[in-house]
Amino acid sequence: MVDVGRMNKNMDIGDAYGVHIKAVPTMIVLAPTGKMINGGGDPAALQDARGMSPQAIVDTLNGLDPKTG
């Protein structure tokens, strides 16, 4: 579990993947190998997730290519 109650907690998770966390939530999607697979696409793809429908979020995630991990 990741605590996002304060912006300064768990910043090391983003750092480990070279992601500068600017807002909460920030999603890092990993392949089974542990490699980040959403780094090459649009980094802002889910920035408006709060206003997206559940299906739109699923569609965005389904568009990721796990072979890149």
Side-chain angles (χ1 to χ4, degrees), residues 7-47:
M7 188 59 188
N8 62 349
K9 284 190 168 187
N10 299 303
M11 298 301 281
D12 58 320
I13 296 171
D15 292 342
Y17 293 96
V19 174
H20 175 69
I21 298 174
K22 300 178 202 168
V24 174
T26 295
M27 183 179 295
I28 299 172
V29 182
L30 304 176
T33 62
K35 186 172 181 179
M36 184 172 67
I37 62 173
N38 66 327
D42 179 5
L46 291 169
Q47 77 178 8

Side-chain angles (χ1 to χ4, degrees), residues 27-30 37-66 68:
M27 183 179 295
I28 299 172
V29 182
L30 304 176
I37 62 173
N38 66 327
D42 179 5
L46 291 169
Q47 77 178 8
D48 295 323
R50 182 179 297 156
M52 293 169 73
S53 71
Q55 187 61 54
I57 293 170
V58 169
D59 291 345
T60 300
L61 294 174
N62 282 335
L64 298 174
D65 184 1
T68 62

